[in-house]
Structures are given as structure tokens and as C-alpha cells.
């Protein structure tokens, strides 16, 4: 007896009862909104966007793979998360080049 009382008071059953009451109260099936599909003209920009994004992702993965395979991206002497300015004068270039000489890629 306690189980049936607890089940009749559950929120999911109450929602179902409200929904079934609402559906029964609809007199005319025409008043229910129908799902409409997007027209071909509306789908075209989405298709172009999806193709463009897919192309960009493919390009990024390809360039990253080529960089990794040719070991081109390993000559960074200092990784700074916020970025940095390149050496601005000859003395700074010499210091940076000396630091680069310590790496095996040199």
C-alpha cells in the first residue's frame, strides 16, 4: 500500500498525468504545431559552415603533423604562455642565438 501511494505522488507521474490531460483537451488536431524541416536555402549556409570548419580542422591537423614529422617546431628556446617580443637589437639576438646553440637541433 505504501509503495502505490509513493508512486502516485512522484513528480514524473504527475507530469505524465498533466500531459495526458492536456492532450485529451485538444479538440482539433490542426491546433497542434507541426515540426517543419528547414528549406534547402536555409540549409545551405549551415552546410558551407560545416564544410569550412571541417576543412580548417583538417588543415590544422595536417600542418601540425607535418611540423611534428619534420621536427620543425622543436627549435623554440623559451616557451612563454603569454608570448614575447622577438629580440629587438643585436645584443639580444646574440644572446638568443647562444641559447639556441645549446639545443640538439642546432
Amino acid at each position: 500500500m505504501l509503495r502505490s501511494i509513493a508512486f502516485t505522488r512522484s513528480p514524473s507521474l504527475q507530469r505524465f498525468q498533466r500531459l495526458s490531460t492536456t492532450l485529451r483537451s485538444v479538440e482539433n488536431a490542426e491546433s497542434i504545431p507541426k515540426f517543419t524541416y528547414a528549406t534547402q536555402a536555409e540549409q545551405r549556409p549551415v552546410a558551407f559552415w560545416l564544410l569550412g570548419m571541417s576543412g580548417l580542422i583538417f588543415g590544422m591537423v595536417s600542418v601540425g603533423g607535418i611540423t611534428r614529422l619534420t621536427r620543425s617546431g622543436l627549435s623554440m628556446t623559451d616557451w612563454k604562455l603569454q608570448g614575447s617580443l622577438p629580440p629587438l637589437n643585436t645584443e639580444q639576438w646574440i644572446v638568443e642565438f647562444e641559447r639556441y646553440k645549446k639545443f640538439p637541433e642546432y
Side-chain angles (χ1 to χ4, degrees):
M1 181 71 180
L2 290 175
R3 269 189 169 166
S4 63
I5 292 172
F7 182 70
T8 58
R9 293 183 180 174
S10 72
S12 59
L13 181 62
Q14 290 174 356
R15 272 187 257 128
F16 175 74
Q17 288 172 341
R18 273 187 268 137
L19 179 62
S20 63
T21 304
T22 304
L23 290 176
R24 271 188 257 129
S25 68
V26 175
E27 297 173 4
N28 190 357
E30 296 297 320
S31 64
I32 299 173
K34 302 279 192 270
F35 180 78
T36 58
Y37 292 98
T39 64
Q40 195 171 17
E42 294 169 336
Q43 291 177 355
R44 190 176 313 253
V46 175
F48 285 145
W49 181 80
L50 286 172
L51 286 172
M53 291 298 111
S54 300
L56 287 174
I57 291 171
F58 178 78
M60 285 189 293
V61 169
S62 299
V63 169
I66 291 169
T67 303
R68 181 74 174 201
L69 289 173
T70 59
R71 299 175 54 96
S72 301
L74 299 176
S75 61
M76 292 291 295
T77 58
D78 191 16
W79 289 91
K80 295 182 181 175
L81 293 177
Q82 298 296 324
S84 63
L85 292 174
L88 300 176
N89 56 33
T90 307
E91 292 82 24
Q92 291 175 349
W93 274 109
I94 292 171
V95 169
E96 190 68 28
F97 187 63
E98 292 301 322
R99 196 170 3 171
Y100 175 69
K101 286 181 183 179
K102 296 176 185 175
F103 283 85
E105 286 81 22
Y106 176 71

